[in-house]
């Protein structure tokens, strides 16, 4: 049985580091594609999960700039308490700002294990964790707990936080990501942060669970695919997968009856969705979007058929889960979104 403890609501800077943790799990790990859900402020600041809630990525973030080894050890306490709890947490991650020089063996690494700390600093870090554990447990600590700390530290991953825009750029697979301003990327990051922060208001304090799947009922989570879709929507300037028919697509449905139109729109949305969420072909989708936007930028008055004819044919082939009609529909959505922005 695992009892959820109250987690203090943090300030803006701390919230931004929690969002960095979320986006690190979403985009920057070799196993990122395995993480489908993000529980907010339930088991920790952030807990990533696979769809079945059987594999957990436990993440703690610490956004303070004066983070010495002792404070790093203190910051690990919730991760450690989860490590020795009845729930099984498969990964343990602490995200923090860039550390002062002189703490690490290799200071160029953005992700590293406990052994990257210099031996002297390891001692301070361990003492910080021990003291925080004793503070929470009436100054008591057993040898079993100390042994568990040693095992825990060898499994923990330490991650250095990066600039906000970097995390959004990791979702996007354009050739030229720098064509968008830092403010544009940062605004998307802030929107994700605000959605994450709002979920902190859902109170789950004191709830006892036997399995993380029991948390699903409280809806205190974000879905990875929803975050990726939100980012895509910001780039095309409109919401994908809504029932409205883009004005620039009307010529394609002239003469069709209502049911056939509904079936076609549904099929187009389904093919766009299948392509966007294809984990094995995500680069091709973003390159197709970039190509469409570049063609449109050269001639804002071009109709969707004209734009289609100018798309790199290799991209039409590589996006094999979309056909001509679904690509035309996609172009009309982009054209509508860009025109609204302008």
């Amino acid at each position: 049985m695992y009892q959820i403890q109250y987690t203090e609501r943090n300030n803006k800077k701390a919230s931004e580091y929690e969002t960095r943790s979320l986006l690190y799990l979403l985009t920057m790990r070799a196993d990122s594609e395995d993480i489908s859900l993000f529980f907010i402020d339930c088991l920790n600041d952030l807990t990533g999960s696979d769809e079945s809630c059987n594999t957990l990525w436990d993440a703690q973030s610490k956004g303070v700039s004066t983070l010495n080894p002792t404070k790093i050890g203190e910051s690990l306490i919730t991760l450690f308490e989860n490590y020795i709890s009845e729930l099984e947490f498969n990964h343990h991650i602490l995200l923090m700002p860039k550390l002062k020089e002189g703490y690490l063996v290799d200071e160029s690494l953005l992700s590293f294990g406990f052994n990257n700390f210099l031996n002297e600093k390891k001692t301070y870090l361990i003492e910080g964790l021990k003291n925080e554990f004793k503070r929470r447990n009436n100054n008591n600590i057993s040898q079993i707990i100390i042994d568990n700390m040693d095992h825990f530290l060898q499994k923990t991953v330490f991650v250095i936080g990066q600039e906000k825009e970097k995390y959004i750029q990791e979702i996007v697979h354009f050739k030229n990501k720098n064509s968008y301003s830092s403010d544009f990327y940062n605004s998307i990051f802030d929107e994700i942060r605000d959605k994450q922060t709002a979920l902190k208001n859902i109170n789950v304090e004191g709830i006892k669970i036997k399995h993380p799947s029991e948390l699903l009922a409280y809806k205190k989570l974000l879905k990875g695919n929803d975050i990726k879709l939100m980012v895509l929507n910001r780039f095309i300037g409109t919401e994908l997968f809504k029932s409205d028919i883009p004005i620039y697509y009307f010529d394609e449905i002239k003469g069709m009856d209502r049911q056939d139109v509904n079936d076609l729109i549904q099929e187009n949305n389904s093919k766009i969705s299948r392509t966007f969420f294809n984990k094995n072909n995500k680069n091709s989708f973003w390159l197709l979007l970039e190509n469409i936007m570049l063609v449109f930028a050269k001639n804002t008055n071009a109709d969707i058929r004209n734009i289609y004819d100018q798309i790199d044919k290799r991209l039409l082939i590589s996006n094999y889960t979309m056909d001509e009609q679904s690509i035309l529909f996609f172009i009309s959505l982009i054209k509508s979104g860009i025109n609204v922005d302008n």
Side-chain angles (χ1 to χ4, degrees):
M1 189 69 69
Y2 182 103
Q3 182 169 352
I4 297 173
Q5 302 298 321
Y6 178 78
T7 301
E8 195 172 318
R9 288 159 180 78
N10 295 321
N11 59 29
K12 180 179 177 182
K13 183 174 182 180
S15 296
E16 288 188 349
Y17 266 81
E18 291 175 12
T19 303
R20 283 177 168 89
S21 294
L22 187 158
L23 294 173
Y24 162 77
L25 291 181
L26 181 69
T27 65
M28 292 184 170
R29 291 176 56 92
D31 57 7
S32 285
E33 293 293 353
D34 299 329
I35 308 173
S36 301
L37 308 171
F38 300 91
F39 292 106
I40 310 301
D41 208 31
C42 293
L43 309 173
N44 206 334
D45 288 346
L46 178 82
T47 308
S49 169
D50 65 346
E51 196 164 354
S52 63
C53 299
N54 287 324
T55 305
L56 299 178
W57 288 256
D58 196 21
Q60 180 77 26
S61 54
K62 198 68 175 178
V64 298
S65 56
T66 55
L67 202 58
N68 60 39
T70 301
K71 289 182 179 179
I72 293 172
E74 294 171 357
S75 302
L76 291 170
I77 187 62
T78 305
L79 289 168
F80 177 67
E81 288 178 339
N82 282 344
Y83 177 77
I84 60 176
S85 73
E86 293 185 23
L87 288 186
E88 181 179 359
F89 293 83
N90 307 82
H91 306 275
H92 317 275
I93 300 140
L94 178 67
L95 188 136
M96 54 193 177
K98 184 173 176 58
L99 301 175
K100 286 175 59 177
E101 292 185 6
Y103 291 171
L104 304 174
V105 176
D106 185 347
E107 295 179 345
S108 67
L109 297 177
L110 295 176
S111 177
F112 49 86
F114 180 61
N115 287 335
N116 194 42
F117 285 94
L118 295 170
N119 287 335
E120 178 191 1
K121 307 306 177 184
K122 287 181 185 177
T123 302
Y124 287 116
L125 190 152
I126 293 169
E127 285 305 308
L129 178 56
K130 286 180 180 178
N131 289 337
E132 184 61 18
F133 183 89
K134 287 191 286 186
R135 188 185 70 81
R136 295 189 179 198
N137 292 274
N138 298 318
N139 209 35
N140 294 320
I141 188 167
S142 68
Q143 187 59 47
I144 294 176
I145 291 295
I146 292 172
D147 291 342
N148 272 314
M149 283 183 179
D150 291 338
H151 298 147
F152 161 75
L153 289 170
Q154 292 302 323
K155 295 186 67 175
T156 301
V157 175
F158 299 85
V159 179
I160 303 300
Q162 300 183 53
E163 295 299 318
K164 295 195 300 184
E165 64 187 274
K166 176 65 175 175
Y167 294 95
I168 307 303
Q169 289 176 340
E170 287 296 316
I171 299 175
V172 179
H173 295 269
F174 288 160
K175 285 182 179 178
N176 186 12
K177 299 178 183 181
N178 294 329
S179 60
Y180 291 86
S181 69
S182 294
D183 287 345
F184 177 74
Y185 286 118
N186 289 340
S187 68
I188 298 176
F189 179 99
D190 291 346
E191 186 173 356
I192 297 170
R193 179 203 63 208
D194 291 345
K195 288 181 179 294
Q196 185 176 358
T197 301
L199 291 171
K200 287 176 171 290
N201 295 324
I202 301 174
N203 186 13
V204 293
E205 179 187 359
I207 292 171
K208 295 181 179 180
I209 60 171
K210 292 182 179 179
H211 191 270
S213 60
E214 297 171 44
L215 292 171
L216 295 172
Y218 298 95
K219 301 186 185 304
K220 197 172 166 67
L221 59 85
L222 293 172
K223 296 180 179 179
N225 280 348
D226 288 346
I227 297 169
K228 293 175 182 177
L229 180 58
M230 191 205 81
V231 173
L232 174 61
N233 287 339
R234 296 305 166 266
F235 274 89
I236 67 174
T238 188
E239 301 292 318
L240 279 179
F241 313 133
K242 58 185 180 180
S243 58
D244 297 348
I245 302 172
I247 187 172
Y248 300 105
Y249 194 68
F250 283 167
D251 284 346
E252 298 297 320
I253 57 175
K254 281 191 303 188
M256 296 174 62
D257 65 37
R258 180 176 298 178
Q259 187 57 53
D260 287 341
V261 170
N262 288 338
D263 290 345
L264 179 60
I265 301 306
Q266 185 175 352
E267 185 177 349
N268 287 339
N269 277 325
S270 175
K271 288 176 179 177
I272 295 170
S273 176
R274 192 181 312 132
T275 306
F276 177 59
F277 292 118
N278 184 348
K279 297 177 181 179
N280 299 317
N281 201 35
K282 55 188 176 183
N283 284 358
S284 292
F285 180 88
W286 282 100
L287 291 174
L288 173 63
L289 170 58
E290 184 178 32
N291 194 183
I292 292 170
M293 296 176 79
L294 288 172
V295 171
F296 180 79
K298 292 177 183 176
N299 182 5
T300 56
N301 294 318
D303 62 34
I304 63 172
R305 285 264 170 199
N306 184 261
I307 294 172
Y308 180 87
D309 291 339
Q310 296 181 63
I311 294 173
D312 187 329
K313 298 302 182 285
R314 291 170 296 183
L315 292 175
L316 298 178
I317 295 170
S318 63
N319 284 278
Y320 51 86
T321 47
M322 294 173 73
D323 59 12
E324 181 176 311
Q325 276 302 315
S326 58
I327 292 176
L328 286 168
F329 186 77
F330 187 49
I331 294 170
S332 67
L333 283 168
I334 297 167
K335 185 174 169 66
S336 298
I338 292 175
N339 279 343
V340 167
D341 285 347
N342 290 342

